[in-house]
Amino acid sequence: MSKAVLDAGPLIHLAELKALDVLYDFDTLLLPETVGKEVAKYQRSALKYPNLKLSQVRAPGISTDLIILAQAFSLDQGEIEALAILELYPGFLFLTDDAAARLAAAQRGYSSHGTIGLLIRSVRVRRRTPDSVLKLLKDISRHSTLHIRPALMTEIVQRLEKEWAKSGD
Amino acid sequence: MLNETATTITLPPRLAEQVKDYVQEGWFPDLNALIAEALRRYLEAHHSELTERFIHEDVEWGLRGDE
C-alpha cells in the first residue's frame, strides 16, 4: 500500500478532472494544514471526496536547513510544511505538481510525483483503463488548470498508446 | 516608468476579488506589485526544462514504478 504527503496541485487538478479515484489505493494521504486551507479555497469538494484516506496534519517545527532550502527554491508555506512532514516520514511519496518543490524534495532524497504520473499509474494498479486515462490526458488543458505544453502532451499520449498496445492493457 | 511595460489583463471575477482583497489587506502596495510578484514566482517555479524533466520521470514512474 502506498503512503504520501500531498501538496495542493494534484488534489486540485485531479478534482478538476473528476479523477480523484486514482488516489483510492493510497492507504495514507497526509495533508499539511496550509495545503488543506488552499484546497478548501479552490476545490473544497476534493476534501470531501468519498473513500480517500486523507488526514490533515499540522507540520512539526521547521528546521533551519529546511528554511534555507525553502528560501532558495521560493517554496510556499504549504510546500514547506509538506517537506517538514516528510522529514518525519521519509519513505512517503511527495505528491506535487510544482517543479521547484519537486527539486527541493529531490535534494532531500524524497520521491515526488505529480498528477500526470498518478493518472498513468492508475492503469498500472488496475484502477483505470488505458482508454480513460488517455482521454483525460488529451483533455487535460480543457478540463484542468494544469498547464502542459501541447506538443509534450501529444508526445506522451503517443508513447502511452504504444506502451499500452504492446502490453495489451 | 522607463523600465516598465504596460499590459492589460483580464481576470475571472472570483480571482479578481481575491486579488483586490490581498491589496486591500495590505499584503501588496497595489495590484501591479501583486501581479508582478505572482508572475515572477510562476516563472521561477516553472522553468520549462525542469518541468518537462519531471513530467518524463512521472511517465516512467506511472508505467513502471514500484513505489
Side-chain angles (χ1 to χ4, degrees):
Chain A
M1 295 294 267
S2 302
K3 300 169 192 296
V5 177
L6 276 159
D7 191 9
L11 261 186
I12 292 172
H13 298 139
L14 289 171
E16 290 169 339
L17 293 166
K18 301 190 183 356
L20 280 166
D21 57 281
V22 305
L23 296 172
Y24 276 175
D25 68 304
F26 282 79
D27 66 346
T28 307
L29 290 165
L30 301 181
L31 195 64
E33 213 172 24
T34 300
V35 173
K37 285 179 189 163
E38 198 179 332
V39 175
K41 199 168 170 185
Y42 296 105
Q43 198 62 244
R44 181 173 287 279
S45 62
L47 300 177
K48 295 176 185 157
Y49 200 78
N51 303 324
L52 281 192
K53 290 130 196 134
L54 275 180
S55 308
Q56 293 208 39
V57 289
R58 181 167 288 185
I62 313 293
S63 61
T64 309
D65 56 340
L66 181 51
I67 292 171
I68 293 166
L69 187 76
Q71 284 171 344
F73 287 93
S74 297
L75 302 184
D76 67 24
Q77 185 60 25
E79 292 153 0
I80 296 168
E81 288 180 19
L83 289 172
I85 293 167
L86 280 159
E87 284 183 342
L88 300 177
Y89 304 99
F92 282 30
L93 297 175
F94 180 29
L95 303 181
T96 180
D97 286 320
D98 186 277
R102 290 186 72 161
L103 201 58
Q107 228 255 343
R108 310 283 279 184
Y110 308 137
S111 297
S112 66
H113 299 287
T115 299
I116 302 292
L118 288 164
L119 288 170
I120 298 168
R121 173 187 177 274
S122 72
V123 174
R124 171 161 56 81
V125 299
R126 312 269 172 202
R127 163 65 50 195
R128 280 193 170 242
T129 63
D131 282 350
S132 79
V133 169
L134 287 169
K135 189 173 182 322
L136 285 173
L137 291 174
K138 285 174 189 169
D139 287 345
I140 209 159
S141 58
R142 231 161 9 110
H143 297 306
S144 84
T145 48
L146 183 61
H147 304 294
I148 295 178
R149 189 167 58 83
L152 175 62
M153 185 47 74
T154 303
E155 184 191 322
I156 291 168
V157 164
Q158 285 171 349
R159 160 127 196 251
L160 292 173
E161 282 171 340
K162 272 188 202 157
E163 288 276 350
W164 285 332
K166 207 165 55 184
S167 66
D169 267 317
Chain B
M1 298 289 166
L2 284 177
N3 295 319
E4 292 179 350
T5 304
T7 190
T8 305
I9 58 164
T10 305
L11 298 175
R14 195 165 159 225
L15 184 60
E17 264 314 300
Q18 289 170 336
V19 162
K20 211 170 88 187
D21 288 349
Y22 263 89
V23 174
Q24 277 175 353
E25 286 164 15
W27 292 101
F28 291 89
D30 54 37
L31 180 65
N32 289 337
L34 189 156
I35 300 291
E37 172 69 3
L39 281 175
R40 188 188 64 77
R41 279 187 59 89
Y42 181 88
L43 293 172
E44 274 181 3
H46 292 78
H47 295 300
S48 55
E49 263 179 48
L50 192 61
T51 301
E52 293 203 11
R53 193 190 93 198
F54 283 128
I55 288 173
H56 282 297
E57 282 179 17
D58 262 7
V59 172
E60 279 310 312
W61 174 73
L63 286 169
R64 293 180 242 285
D66 58 2
E67 58 269 3

